[in-house]
Amino acid sequence: MSIKHLDKIVSLCKRKGFVFPNSEIYGGLKASYDYGPLGVDLKKAISEKWWKAMTSNSNIVGLDSSIMVHPDVWEASGHVDNFNDPMTDNKDNKKRYRIDDLLSQQKSKVIDALCEALSIENKNDSTTIDKISEILLQESDKYSDALESAGVIDPFSGNIGKWTQATQFNLMFQTNTGPSEKTGKNIYLRPETAQGIYINYLLVQNSMRLKVPFGIAQIGKAFRNEIIARNFIFRTREFEQMEMQYFVHPSEDESSMELWKEKRISFYSNELGINKDKLKFHQHSEDALAHYAKDAFDIEYYFPFGWGEVEGIHNRTNFDLKEHEKLSGKNMMYFDAIKNEKYHPFIIETSTGLNRLFLMVLCESYYEDNENNRTVLKLPFDLAPNKIVVCPLLKKDGLPEKAKEIFDSISSTHKCVYDQQGSIGKRYYRQDEAGTPFGITIDHETLQDNSITIRERDSMEQHRIPIDNILKFISENK
Ligand code: GAP
């Protein structure tokens, strides 16, 4: 699959009602998308799988904390000081770039020139780019013209840019409460859902009488003012996170990290039907670790544009709890009554983006069946927005009435769609593109003997079965 397939998926999403560009009638808002009728169902099905995988564990409970919290939360967490991306502007055309993103689009001779200028060893991987960005930021005066001298090309103009020196760009969206900007307090839209869990963890633990190890799971919106947002819904400024924070004894952080790495990668193949060959772990180098992390692994998926992170599994130590304790003055320690021991638990975090999983599932399911001249979304049955399309062969002779009767009898168990427009082949192909696994056709024979034709999406095989066997057939063949 190549990048051109991504364009085809974007177009399919709009055509079939999965994802629409946001504010289209006003020319659109960059990197912002709305989820259409089928998109809402697919997103919900993915998040339900995740929720079940988490909360079916007896020691993992749910939470729904606010998007806006006390501004000190972001001081304590380090986001005010550290949640920055290094960026540069091209003075010629005022285009702004994240430096790591800009460098990842350069030829190797440009990276070689930068490594030489900054005296760093060129390892020819992402650590080289991280290192360059870091030095350009830390010594921005000294290396103010390094990007231009190395010949860094502006991907927009195709020419060498007149680059400003590297500066920090904080990714948090800021607003204020109260009727006026002067009297109101600065408030941030949360850039991760995790902090809402940390500030509530003792309330959750006490109310549910939980004992370490235990986890708190949350699904909710997060916001980041990404400098570069691209690849459709892969990186957007508003997105949904599904995070689970697992509180463990400090001596058990490493074994717990291993446990969650294993559980999380299996989730993708077992629950979302992702081919294992398209998944891998990427461990963060020490240089690239977030300010809170002792160790971090990304789970990456092979998208049409290359490998991309879908989930982060982080050992956050007790950094967040201790920082909240310092700034709030409130005790954030867990008390183990049996061992009579007080401590700040370590936190193993699993953090994934629902929108990225949505894109991953679409990329994995997208299939061009050239032999039959059709496009199919081979969505797993559980994830497909509609499970069955019900079609009367003709719009007359009592066939629509019989079809509606069948529709009513099965739609309480499985989400169905009714279609009587166009040839039967066209109707099936329309649903293949929407990922509907089964099609049922009601014809004149149905009126005689109560049998129907049921068609399978992927194989296109058709079977003649009694109406009474529809649900049994589906449960055996889904
Ligand atoms: N609480 C830890 C945390 O937020 P992260 O690696 O920054 O860690 C975790 O983000 C996951 O959230 C990523 O793996 C990705 O799936 C999703 N994510 C992050 N930024 C995103 C964005 N701008 N658009 C869509 N998803 C994003």
Side-chain angles (χ1 to χ4, degrees):
M1 221 187 239
S2 67
I3 192 77
K4 75 173 194 295
H5 288 106
L6 184 66
D7 293 337
K8 291 185 177 178
I9 290 170
V10 174
S11 145
L12 180 148
C13 279
K14 187 173 174 192
R15 203 168 57 246
K16 304 308 289 186
F18 282 96
V19 183
F20 304 128
N22 171 272
S23 309
E24 197 179 37
I25 60 166
Y26 289 102
L29 176 67
K30 264 194 180 167
S32 197
Y33 296 93
D34 297 334
Y35 288 75
L38 297 196
V40 176
D41 282 340
L42 176 56
K43 196 142 70 80
K44 213 163 173 208
I46 297 171
S47 65
E48 275 170 6
K49 288 255 177 205
W50 182 89
W51 190 252
K52 199 166 161 225
M54 290 300 172
T55 59
S56 59
N57 294 286
S58 61
N59 65 343
I60 300 185
V61 295
L63 180 75
D64 184 8
S65 68
S66 299
I67 286 173
M68 292 183 286
V69 292
H70 193 289
D72 284 355
V73 170
W74 306 113
E75 289 284 348
S77 68
H79 282 82
V80 172
D81 289 334
N82 297 313
F83 199 51
N84 300 309
D85 272 346
M87 58 136 200
T88 183
D89 292 309
N90 183 355
K91 286 183 242 169
D92 278 340
N93 59 8
K94 310 276 178 287
K95 289 276 168 203
R96 173 166 289 182
Y97 294 92
R98 230 171 77 178
I99 292 183
D100 57 348
D101 214 81
L102 180 64
L103 295 183
S104 67
Q105 299 178 63
Q106 303 298 315
K107 295 216 163 101
S108 55
K109 66 173 188 192
V110 173
I111 303 297
D112 291 344
L114 274 167
C115 286
E116 203 178 319
L118 307 183
S119 311
I120 55 179
E121 190 194 343
N122 191 353
K123 289 197 182 148
N124 279 316
D125 62 15
S126 63
T127 61
T128 307
I129 288 181
D130 289 341
K131 195 92 207 149
I132 297 173
S133 313
E134 198 185 303
I135 295 179
L136 288 178
L137 249 187
Q138 282 169 0
E139 301 182 62
S140 59
D141 285 343
K142 184 169 167 196
Y143 294 117
S144 60
D145 59 358
L147 291 170
E148 198 175 327
S149 309
V152 171
I153 303 282
D154 181 338
F156 183 78
S157 66
N159 302 321
I160 296 175
K162 281 207 165 55
W163 302 109
T164 58
Q165 66 189 70
T167 47
Q168 295 276 25
F169 178 77
N170 193 287
L171 298 185
M172 283 196 293
F173 279 105
Q174 204 174 322
T175 181
N176 50 281
T177 54
S180 106
E181 278 187 24
K182 283 185 189 139
T183 54
K185 272 198 165 191
N186 281 340
I187 287 279
Y188 300 100
L189 299 186
R190 66 181 175 198
E192 61 170 11
T193 62
Q195 297 302 326
I197 295 183
Y198 304 149
I199 59 176
N200 280 299
Y201 104 94
L202 282 177
L203 292 173
V204 174
Q205 185 255 321
N206 281 321
S207 59
M208 304 309 288
R209 307 177 66 233
L210 294 167
K211 291 190 174 45
V212 162
F214 67 88
I216 305 178
Q218 172 159 235
I219 301 178
K221 291 249 177 177
F223 304 83
R224 296 182 189 178
N225 198 1
E226 302 280 3
I227 305 170
I228 303 278
R230 60 169 188 199
N231 287 334
F232 191 33
I233 51 173
F234 181 81
R235 190 186 302 285
T236 48
R237 299 194 173 95
E238 174 182 339
F239 56 99
E240 267 172 279
Q241 281 192 318
M242 305 193 287
E243 297 197 303
M244 192 282 298
Q245 313 294 328
Y246 202 62
F247 296 80
V248 301
H249 189 276
S251 63
E252 279 167 13
D253 63 335
E254 285 169 20
S255 55
S256 192
M257 182 86 175
E258 285 313 306
L259 175 86
W260 281 104
K261 271 172 64 192
E262 184 44 47
K263 276 184 186 257
R264 292 306 303 148
I265 201 144
S266 310
F267 172 83
Y268 290 98
S269 38
N270 296 346
E271 300 295 333
L272 302 185
I274 307 296
N275 181 343
K276 284 185 180 157
D277 295 341
K278 285 186 165 173
L279 293 167
K280 69 171 186 190
F281 281 115
H282 161 77
Q283 185 172 19
H284 287 215
S285 67
E286 255 179 58
D287 292 341
L289 280 177
H291 61 276
Y292 51 71
K294 170 177 159 189
D295 196 7
F297 286 84
D298 293 339
I299 296 177
E300 295 186 340
Y301 172 74
Y302 194 70
F303 285 97
F305 45 83
W307 289 100
E309 172 190 340
V310 288
E311 172 155 350
I313 303 169
H314 310 129
N315 180 345
R316 295 184 71 132
T317 68
N318 50 18
F319 173 89
D320 298 273
L321 299 183
K322 279 186 160 172
E323 292 301 310
H324 285 306
E325 183 168 285
K326 255 190 245 163
L327 197 61
S328 68
K330 295 283 179 330
N331 175 24
M332 297 294 281
M333 283 207 258
Y334 167 80
F335 176 56
D336 183 333
I338 298 169
K339 292 189 186 146
N340 196 23
E341 185 187 1
K342 266 190 190 169
Y343 59 90
H344 294 103
F346 268 37
I347 294 166
I348 305 302
E349 167 181 72
T350 75
S351 171
T352 186
L354 177 53
N355 317 71
R356 272 195 200 172
L357 299 199
F358 183 103
L359 181 60
M360 174 180 68
V361 165
L362 284 179
C363 293
E364 187 73 8
S365 311
Y366 182 84
Y367 175 65
E368 287 175 358
D369 178 359
N370 295 326
E371 207 177 305
N372 295 299
N373 203 14
R374 64 178 188 145
T375 300
V376 193
L377 269 191
K378 292 187 171 187
L379 290 171
F381 182 83
D382 288 354
L383 299 182
N386 290 310
K387 315 297 181 192
I388 309 159
V389 56
V390 179
C391 310
L393 185 64
L394 301 173
K395 278 193 255 176
K396 55 181 188 181
D397 301 339
L399 299 183
E401 288 76 8
K402 188 71 184 169
K404 282 186 180 139
E405 198 183 290
I406 294 174
F407 180 97
D408 289 342
S409 73
I410 55 177
S411 60
S412 59
T413 334
H414 295 302
K415 194 147 186 251
C416 297
V417 55
Y418 181 83
D419 190 358
Q420 60 177 29
Q421 298 300 327
S423 74
I424 198 72
K426 277 198 180 137
R427 282 183 257 170
Y428 281 155
Y429 277 27
R430 270 203 291 269
Q431 292 303 319
D432 290 343
E433 254 198 330
T436 309
F438 294 103
I440 288 176
T441 301
I442 289 87
D443 53 22
H444 293 94
E445 221 179 305
T446 311
L447 304 180
Q448 309 291 322
D449 63 4
N450 268 334
S451 69
I452 50 91
T453 301
I454 187 158
R455 171 194 182 262
E456 296 179 69
R457 176 196 65 200
D458 298 350
S459 64
M460 297 171 73
E461 270 175 33
Q462 303 201 12
H463 312 264
R464 195 79 199 177
I465 59 166
I467 292 172
D468 288 347
N469 286 0
I470 293 176
L471 295 180
K472 184 167 173 274
F473 180 93
I474 285 173
S475 80
E476 286 168 1
N477 294 281
K478 67 184 184 185

